[in-house]
Amino acid sequence: MPVLLLLAFAVLAVAAILFTTARHFDAGEAQRSEQRVARLMAGAENSLAVVMRDYAGWDAAVTHVVDRFDLPWADENIGIYLSGGYRLSMSLVIDRQGRVIYGMEDGKRLTDNRMREIQPPPALGRMMEKSIAALPGTTEAVAGVVRWGDQLFLASVADIRPSQGGAARPDGMSLAFLQRLDRVAVARLLDPLLLENVDISARQLPLDVGLLPLVEFGAAPDSPPAGWLTWRVPRPALDFLSSVYWVLGGVLLALFALTAQVLTRVQRAARREAEMNDALRQLSERYRALIDALPDMVCLLADGRVSLINAAGLSMLGISPADAGRVVGRPYLDLVVDADRLIFHRVMQMRGRGGIEWATLRIQAADGTIVPIELAVLPVTGEPLGEMTLVARDRRPELARRETLRAAETRAAVADRAKGQFLANISHELRTPLNAIIGFSEILRDELLGSLGVPQYKEYAVDIHEGGLHLLRLVNDLLDIARMDAGTLELREGWVDIAPLIDRCERLLRQKAAERGVPVKLDVSPQGLRVLADEVRLKQIVVNLLGNAVRFSEAGQPVAVIVRLDGPTGDVLIEVADHGIGMNVDAMRIALEPFSQVEGGHNRRQPGAGLGLPLARGYAEAHGGSLTMQSTPAVGTTVTVRLPASRVALAPIEG
């Protein structure tokens, strides 16, 4: 009983390790998602402040707003354009007494009655005070979160001053931009992160939701947040465990049942089984974080200088959002390597002529790395002369391929890659205790340490040894599936004679076919056919296909293995045909997916982990070939493996 309890504890420990490791990985992913959300929010504040600094430090704004108020000019340059171009919910001009003298809300100019009713919230007042109190010099834009009534806004305020700087005027004006923070706005803001259930809430939600507190500008340290950005916390590891728990659970339960029978009768194996449990308890996995999917670099240039750059551009240059000032305000030409500056000048001269034209050149990141890019420059419609948009795509093959996939695929694709990594690690770790089980069961089966006494003990040892070998084959199959997913499957190639290989495969399954009463026919032509392949993997392809054909055929239904050359292409075709139960199109699709079973639960008539066909297809594709299926319910199935003609050779036929 103590040994059984120890074994049960080991099984629970393995489950606990897997669960704890998954939770640890998911906790790190949740923390990283909070950091990325915070960076995006800070970038939005910085972007709004950059726009504010451009407008508040515009000499024309001083002339037409402060010196004399020009209503048509304000409508065209502050009101209507900003509402549409920058998605501003509200733009206001406020005098030193805090009165609104001009305003545009949701694309409509505020009436005089409405402006008299407006009382700017305290946070907006604090922002005005800070911008007015700025030292003489260039305009300082202040940005932050503001609660106005029952709504939250991302706001920026600056004192309107000449572009050359100067002190605040007693009769001066302040300019305020506000962007409403609602569900649509925050969803658009966080869209690059591919998060789910993005929302904004006035209260803190449960712990399984990602939270970012929104604190009003200038609020006291002990003040509660004005609101919360919320999203569904990513859980790739736990989601994967929930999809494969039945496989791992079945494996562990089968191992427990077989081992328990022997351990209750053979006390000598107690110490060895305890060591196995200790090894299982040491299982732990480490995961690396998923790389953020990066879109293209987008810059807004004013007279050739960077006035706005997105997070992807900063990442491409190796600069954190907090250090965006290292780029903003600099000529974009400074980023271009010397040898490619002439190309950049030509692109600038050709902008807006004949549509979009892309040019290839190189830029230099902050750490000195040379980044090849594809660049296009377009003038901004409605902007003063010199304003333009620059779009740059990273051309580095590996990074571009990875980022394109990450930007195009859904969260399910990300989880699928995490699944491959997790499955590969788990398969490697399970092989160590399995080798111990197989080795110890061989000692018991062969009675290497002395007679067991009762013949049934030896029978039990044979059972656990066969179960361990079966489980090891399953783990090896799982490892190959993971390697295929990761693209790291390696082949040991050599010239393989097809006819002898087909004969060996048939002999392996001859007893099983005889027990089911299924005749197997072989037809290999031409004689002396050889292929360049991994003999072990090629043999497993034929064994898997032939085993399936025999398994799903009734007594008297023949199974045929036909090897021939395809006349038009010269490819080798290996066909395995049966007259068994057959499948429809949906069933064939399911059968080619790892771990899938066409029949499930109590309706399953045949055992198996659902890896035979996926492995066969993966091995065929690793050789540059393919696997196709043709099947009709109640008629039969034909599976064809095609190997390219470049791998084919004919051995000379002797005399």
Side-chain angles (χ1 to χ4, degrees), residues 18-92:
L18 294 177
F19 181 74
T20 302
T21 304
R23 284 182 61 87
H24 177 72
F25 177 83
D26 287 345
E29 186 65 19
Q31 184 179 7
R32 285 185 289 275
S33 72
E34 292 180 3
Q35 294 171 351
R36 290 192 289 267
V37 169
R39 287 197 296 269
L40 277 181
M41 192 63 188
E45 292 183 4
N46 183 66
S47 299
L48 187 60
V50 170
V51 175
M52 170 58 72
R53 186 166 58 248
D54 289 343
Y55 273 84
W58 189 10
D59 290 337
V62 178
T63 302
H64 293 280
V65 175
V66 180
D67 294 340
R68 58 180 181 83
F69 187 75
D70 186 343
L71 183 59
W73 186 92
D75 280 342
E76 180 179 357
N77 295 279
I78 297 178
I80 298 174
Y81 175 74
L82 289 176
S83 296
Y86 291 96
R87 294 192 177 97
L88 291 183
S89 304
M90 187 181 299
S91 55
L92 304 174

Side-chain angles (χ1 to χ4, degrees), residues 399-632:
L399 181 59
R401 188 162 49 249
R402 182 184 306 166
E403 297 306 323
T404 300
L405 288 174
R406 289 183 182 273
E409 292 178 350
T410 62
R411 185 172 175 273
V414 178
D416 187 61
R417 288 194 294 273
K419 177 193 73 176
Q421 298 168 2
F422 183 78
L423 188 59
N425 292 336
I426 289 297
S427 299
H428 278 298
E429 294 296 336
L430 285 175
R431 293 178 69 176
T432 299
L434 285 176
N435 287 331
I437 293 173
I438 294 171
F440 294 150
S441 60
E442 286 180 351
I443 294 175
L444 295 175
R445 183 194 63 189
D446 300 335
E447 299 181 337
L448 297 179
L449 301 180
S451 174
L452 297 178
V454 180
Q456 288 181 331
Y457 290 168
K458 186 173 182 179
E459 295 176 2
Y460 291 141
V462 171
D463 291 340
I464 194 172
H465 182 262
E466 293 178 352
L469 290 176
H470 174 75
L471 192 55
L472 183 59
R473 287 192 295 271
L474 178 59
V475 169
N476 288 334
D477 290 345
L478 289 173
L479 184 57
D480 276 352
I481 287 289
R483 287 170 175 165
M484 292 174 188
D485 288 343
T488 59
L489 182 67
E490 296 182 358
L491 301 178
R492 297 182 178 179
E493 297 181 332
W495 288 105
V496 180
D497 293 322
I498 290 294
L501 183 138
I502 299 297
D503 287 338
R504 290 197 299 273
C505 295
E506 188 273 337
R507 285 199 299 271
L508 287 175
L509 297 170
R510 184 175 297 170
Q511 181 177 355
K512 180 179 179 180
E515 292 174 353
R516 295 185 60 84
V518 176
V520 178
K521 300 179 181 179
L522 306 180
D523 182 6
V524 181
S525 64
Q527 295 296 321
L529 181 62
R530 307 172 73 190
V531 296
L532 181 63
D534 186 323
E535 184 172 2
V536 174
R537 266 58 183 267
L538 186 59
K539 179 180 178 182
Q540 189 167 354
I541 292 175
V542 178
V543 170
N544 288 354
L545 299 182
L546 183 56
N548 283 347
V550 171
R551 183 187 308 155
F552 293 102
S553 297
E554 301 295 339
Q557 296 178 336
V559 171
V561 181
I562 303 172
V563 181
R564 59 186 176 87
L565 290 177
D566 185 19
T569 63
D571 296 344
V572 173
L573 301 181
I574 304 175
E575 299 178 352
V576 179
D578 64 61
H579 299 279
I581 61 176
M583 293 179 286
N584 57 27
V585 175
D586 291 337
M588 286 191 289
R589 177 180 55 78
I590 295 173
L592 288 171
E593 293 294 330
F595 313 109
S596 298
Q597 294 284 352
V598 177
E599 297 177 326
H602 297 291
N603 296 325
R604 287 181 56 189
R605 296 179 293 174
Q606 301 295 339
L611 297 177
L613 282 174
L615 279 172
R617 182 176 67 173
Y619 292 150
E621 292 175 350
H623 285 82
S626 63
L627 182 147
T628 57
M629 295 179 64
Q630 294 180 342
S631 185
T632 303

Side-chain angles (χ1 to χ4, degrees), residues 40 86-87 180 182-192 198:
L40 277 181
Y86 291 96
R87 294 192 177 97
R180 185 175 291 104
D182 53 16
R183 176 180 296 179
V184 175
V186 299
R188 182 171 56 248
L189 176 64
L190 303 185
D191 183 65
V198 176

Side-chain angles (χ1 to χ4, degrees), residues 128 133 147 305 433 462 536 561 636 654:
M128 292 174 54
R147 171 175 288 280
R305 294 180 178 271
V462 171
V536 174
V561 181
E654 298 181 357

